[in-house]
Amino acid sequence: MSSVSPIMEEWAELDAQSRRSYTPTVEQRKIATYVQHQVATSREAQRNDAVRTILRMMFWLGRQWDDVDLNGLGARLIDRQIGDDDRVVYNYVRAAVNSMVARLTENKPIVTVSPSTTDEDDREKARGCNHLVDHLWENLELQEDIKECVQWMVIAGLGTLKVSWDPTLGDPQETEDTSEEAQALRAAGIEVPPRTTKPGGLVVEALSPDEWGRDPGAKKMKHARWAWHEAILHIDEIRERWPEFGMYVVPDAGLTRDRFTTTSLRNLYDPTDARPKDRARVVEYFERPSPRHPQGRYAVVSGDVTLQAEDVLPLGELPFIVARHNAV
């Protein structure tokens, strides 16, 4: 049986004519090494917090007597055969967590946009913004994300929402190409086809404490100089979002999903996909403006491949919103 998945076999056929070996520039190598170092520094600083989070998760799962593999910075439960030394557990912790989460999320947050003046145009704009907020709440399914964020907050003591903009979302639209090259071609009497673009869209994600980190020297999020988010993406999505360099990313053969290296609490109940196929780790790195990078810094790296690098911080701020709680 072939060790290569059917999806990667199809990509190999499609790449047969155009595939080249990945030859990064010196700058791309520096960026990949820089991001890997920052992530390793953050994870090492978070190690004690990670161990405490694992303990809290074990109580929440009712498996506090199980063995835990703490090799490396990740952790996972080790399934044991039932024996005489196993202890019967009545899980009070999950009941307490579920009750608290239900109370904290039973009411939808009320967001009201007030007009800046008494002018009718301003009033109309404010009403439009209120309708937009209601639309985003339903369209983005924010209730689910907020509930999961609150669950992490109550269980682990830290809940996190990542709010970002994905330029690949939305239906394709044709727009006029206004680049200098297109204008020069038109001046020469050459017809220039319209550009196909997507409008993009807002993305809100609830993150587990294991899949993101920040500058370890900052006491509060507003003081953090940099932060990162590690996502597990399908190879198709990687190639679609980063077509120039995504073709050089290969699935992570050592990737495993267990109860503590998960991206969703929903997976904790059914960790049957022990080795997700055709997926790879992708790290987004965000850095605030500094004398080194006056407009900030943004990079996307998968392994040794630099997918994207810009000397500007998207939206001008770190895209993480954190909420803390005294963990159960």
Side-chain angles (χ1 to χ4, degrees):
M1 182 179 293
S2 174
S3 61
V4 180
S5 73
I7 290 178
M8 291 309 299
E9 287 180 348
E10 288 188 355
W11 275 121
E13 293 176 3
L14 293 171
D15 293 340
Q17 301 298 325
S18 61
R19 187 170 182 89
R20 306 178 303 273
S21 60
Y22 179 57
T23 307
T25 64
V26 174
E27 184 63 21
Q28 287 175 324
R29 287 196 188 96
K30 287 174 59 178
I31 291 171
T33 302
Y34 181 85
V35 171
Q36 291 166 359
H37 178 270
Q38 297 291 79
V39 172
T41 299
S42 176
R43 284 202 181 278
E44 183 62 39
Q46 294 172 192
R47 182 176 177 82
N48 291 335
D49 288 336
V51 172
R52 285 192 290 268
T53 297
I54 293 163
L55 178 62
R56 295 162 185 162
M57 291 294 298
M58 290 175 69
F59 272 91
W60 182 72
L61 289 167
R63 301 187 60 179
Q64 58 267 34
W65 305 115
D66 282 13
D67 297 324
V68 180
D69 177 12
L70 291 174
N71 291 330
L73 294 178
R76 63 184 180 86
L77 286 172
I78 300 175
D79 291 322
R80 297 186 304 167
Q81 297 293 327
I82 296 177
D84 295 335
D85 60 339
D86 286 328
R87 310 190 185 193
V88 177
V89 174
Y90 188 86
N91 198 335
Y92 287 98
V93 172
R94 179 172 290 180
V97 167
N98 291 346
S99 176
M100 187 173 296
V101 170
R103 291 180 182 178
L104 292 173
T105 59
E106 63 181 343
N107 296 320
K108 173 184 173 182
I110 299 175
V111 180
T112 303
V113 181
S114 301
S116 56
T117 68
T118 58
D119 187 78
E120 184 58 30
D121 286 343
D122 282 345
R123 290 175 180 270
E124 187 64 30
K125 291 177 182 177
R127 285 192 288 268
C129 288
N130 282 316
H131 290 314
L132 176 60
V133 170
D134 291 336
H135 168 74
L136 291 175
W137 180 270
E138 297 296 334
N139 189 53
L140 298 177
E141 300 178 347
L142 293 181
Q143 183 66 32
E144 292 297 320
D145 291 305
I146 289 179
K147 181 179 179 181
E148 188 165 346
C149 177
V150 171
Q151 278 185 291
W152 281 117
M153 180 185 74
V154 175
I155 297 169
L158 179 67
T160 309
L161 286 175
K162 180 190 174 193
V163 183
S164 58
W165 184 265
D166 186 348
T168 66
L169 296 181
D171 296 327
Q173 300 175 351
E174 291 188 350
T175 58
E176 183 181 355
D177 190 342
T178 58
S179 64
E180 294 183 1
E181 294 180 359
Q183 293 176 6
L185 291 174
R186 290 194 188 95
I190 301 175
E191 184 179 354
V192 179
R195 297 176 59 185
T196 301
T197 60
K198 292 186 177 182
L202 193 64
V203 178
V204 179
E205 305 170 80
L207 305 183
S208 71
D210 180 64
E211 60 182 319
W212 82 283
R214 68 181 192 189
D215 168 15
K219 292 184 177 180
K220 297 182 178 180
M221 191 65 212
K222 65 180 181 180
H223 299 146
R225 299 297 310 164
W226 50 268
W228 55 271
H229 170 219
E230 182 183 79
I232 300 173
L233 302 182
H234 194 277
I235 204 72
D236 288 349
E237 183 178 354
I238 294 173
R239 285 171 170 255
E240 180 183 10
R241 292 184 62 178
W242 298 281
E244 185 176 1
F245 297 105
M247 64 186 300
Y248 301 114
V249 176
V250 296
D252 191 340
L255 183 64
T256 60
R257 176 185 293 154
D258 51 54
R259 290 176 173 85
F260 299 120
T261 57
T262 180
T263 57
S264 171
L265 279 170
R266 290 183 291 272
N267 294 330
L268 299 180
Y269 297 101
D270 184 25
T272 52
D273 190 3
R275 290 188 178 276
K277 302 295 184 183
D278 306 309
R279 295 181 181 270
R281 294 183 177 93
V282 176
V283 176
E284 279 187 288
Y285 177 79
F286 308 85
E287 190 171 301
R288 293 187 190 275
S290 66
R292 295 176 294 109
H293 301 279
Q295 292 184 289
R297 195 178 196 184
Y298 174 71
V300 184
V301 172
S302 181
D304 295 326
V305 179
T306 300
L307 297 170
Q308 185 177 350
E310 299 177 13
D311 278 331
V312 59
L313 176 63
L315 305 180
E317 57 184 311
L318 303 182
F320 303 100
I321 301 170
V322 300
R324 295 187 179 277
H325 188 271
N326 294 325
V328 173

